[in-house]
């Protein structure tokens, strides 16, 4: 761990009043939730298509049974618990220093940790709705269903998550942009910043305290005012 970088980060956090955190899959992998975009051997053993194909809108429409089999087996982690990163961010918010969390993750762990203002760019597995009558259901409706889950009205219960080929929620995106524009410090963690339009949100930050925390290098490292190549959980836990 780079002590000088950590001291700088700690000082910036103490001096800032409107911090925004933008996080990706790396935040949740420390809660043992795999990056669903990765195509590992297990996926190939069980499924003919890669995860990004199965999680597309067109695949959902054409092959709902296979979609829900994959979604149920690979996307739902009801026993997952918030890790050090989630807890540290919730503490920052409680202290009145963190204005918002913007996340690409769909697991709801930020809310479980106690965070209140969370903008979920890709939706949440905790919310599901009937495509016919609009009735909302919890995660159990998907977990407990055999095959395609159906509402009492006969409509299909669809996860309120953004599939490939679908647009991000315009209201959530607007609120995320506004939060970044008003931030005096932007911490980006656990994301490779290659998925658009989410990665493009960095363009709305005009301040001089852009911090990137990621185990590996990203294409945006050169834009940051501070770069830390380490665990997001370990980094934030050390600070708080």
């Amino acid at each position: 761990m780079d002590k000088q970088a950590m001291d700088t980060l700690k000082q910036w956090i103490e001096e800032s009043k409107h911090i925004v955190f933008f996080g990706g899959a790396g935040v949740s992998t420390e809660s043992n939730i795999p990056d669903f975009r990765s195509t590992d051997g297990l996926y190939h053993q069980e499924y003919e298509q890669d995860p990004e194909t199965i999680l597309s809108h067109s695949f959902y429409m054409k092959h709902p049974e296979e979609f829900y089999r994959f979604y149920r087996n690979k996307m739902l982690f009801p026993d997952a618990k918030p890790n050090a990163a989630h807890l540290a961010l919730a503490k920052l918010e409680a202290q009145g220093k963190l204005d918002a969390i913007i996340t690409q993750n769909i697991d709801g762990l930020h809310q479980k940790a106690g965070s209140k203002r969370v903008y979920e760019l890709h939706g949440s597995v905790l919310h599901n709705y009937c495509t016919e009558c609009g009735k909302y259901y919890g995660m159990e409706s998907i977990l407990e269903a055999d095959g395609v889950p159906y509402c009492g009205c006969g409509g299909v219960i669809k996860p309120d998550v953004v599939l490939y080929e679908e647009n991000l929620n315009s209201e959530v995106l607007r609120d995320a942009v506004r939060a970044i524009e008003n931030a005096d410090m932007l911490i980006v963690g656990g994301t490779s910043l290659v998925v658009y339009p989410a990665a493009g949100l960095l363009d709305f930050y005009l301040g001089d305290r852009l911090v990137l925390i990621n185990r590996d290098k990203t294409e945006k490292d050169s834009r940051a005012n501070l770069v830390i190549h380490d665990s997001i959980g370990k980094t934030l836990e050390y600070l708080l």
Side-chain angles (χ1 to χ4, degrees):
M1 184 173 287
D2 185 335
K3 188 177 185 306
Q4 183 176 356
M6 296 298 291
D7 288 344
T8 298
L9 179 57
K10 189 170 186 177
Q11 179 183 345
W12 286 1
I13 288 177
E14 290 174 351
E15 295 174 350
S16 301
K17 297 180 180 179
H18 299 285
I19 303 171
V20 169
F21 178 81
F22 174 40
V27 178
S28 292
T29 53
E30 296 184 26
S31 289
N32 297 317
I33 294 180
D35 179 353
F36 73 86
R37 294 179 61 249
S38 298
T39 309
D40 58 27
L42 183 62
Y43 285 4
H44 283 302
Q45 291 169 20
E46 294 187 29
Y47 305 93
E48 294 181 3
Q49 293 84 6
D50 62 86
E52 293 185 12
T53 297
I54 298 176
L55 293 171
S56 67
H57 178 79
S58 56
F59 190 92
Y60 163 79
M61 296 299 292
K62 294 177 182 177
H63 311 283
E65 288 276 356
E66 184 68 358
F67 169 87
Y68 280 102
R69 185 168 78 93
F70 179 90
Y71 184 82
R72 196 174 287 114
N73 292 340
K74 297 297 183 182
M75 304 299 293
L76 301 183
F77 299 88
D79 298 324
K81 293 179 172 55
N83 60 53
H86 298 107
L87 297 173
L89 291 166
K91 185 176 180 180
L92 270 180
E93 183 184 50
Q95 293 172 347
K97 300 189 72 65
L98 183 74
D99 282 359
I101 292 172
I102 301 166
T103 181
Q104 294 173 285
N105 298 329
I106 60 175
D107 47 56
L109 290 182
H110 284 295
Q111 290 90 332
K112 285 185 180 180
S115 294
K116 306 299 182 185
R117 186 171 296 174
V118 183
Y119 299 124
E120 297 170 306
L121 296 176
H122 297 152
S124 172
V125 298
L126 303 181
H127 304 140
N128 306 273
Y129 65 94
C130 173
T131 54
E132 292 294 329
C133 71
K135 181 179 178 180
Y136 265 78
Y137 289 84
M139 187 194 300
E140 310 77 39
S141 63
I142 305 294
L143 285 171
E144 297 171 1
D146 183 17
V148 178
Y150 288 98
C151 173
C153 77
V156 175
I157 301 173
K158 184 179 184 295
D160 194 8
V161 299
V162 179
L163 302 179
Y164 289 97
E165 303 169 353
E166 293 181 343
N167 295 323
L168 300 187
N169 181 294
S170 58
E171 184 176 343
V172 173
L173 191 58
R174 182 196 65 210
D175 289 343
V177 168
R178 183 179 296 124
I180 290 176
E181 287 177 334
N182 294 328
D184 56 9
M185 180 176 183
L186 177 61
I187 303 175
V188 181
T191 173
S192 57
L193 295 171
V194 296
V195 178
Y196 282 82
L201 289 174
L202 267 66
D203 296 335
F204 293 95
Y205 178 67
L206 303 177
D208 58 2
R209 290 183 175 179
L210 173 59
V211 181
L212 297 188
I213 306 171
N214 199 52
R215 290 183 182 275
D216 304 314
K217 293 181 179 180
T218 76
E219 296 179 0
K220 305 289 187 180
D221 280 10
S222 60
R223 283 194 51 191
N225 303 106
L226 182 65
V227 177
I228 298 175
H229 290 141
D230 209 331
S231 155
I232 180 67
K234 186 168 67 174
T235 300
L236 294 182
E237 185 178 41
Y238 174 83
L239 292 172
L240 302 175

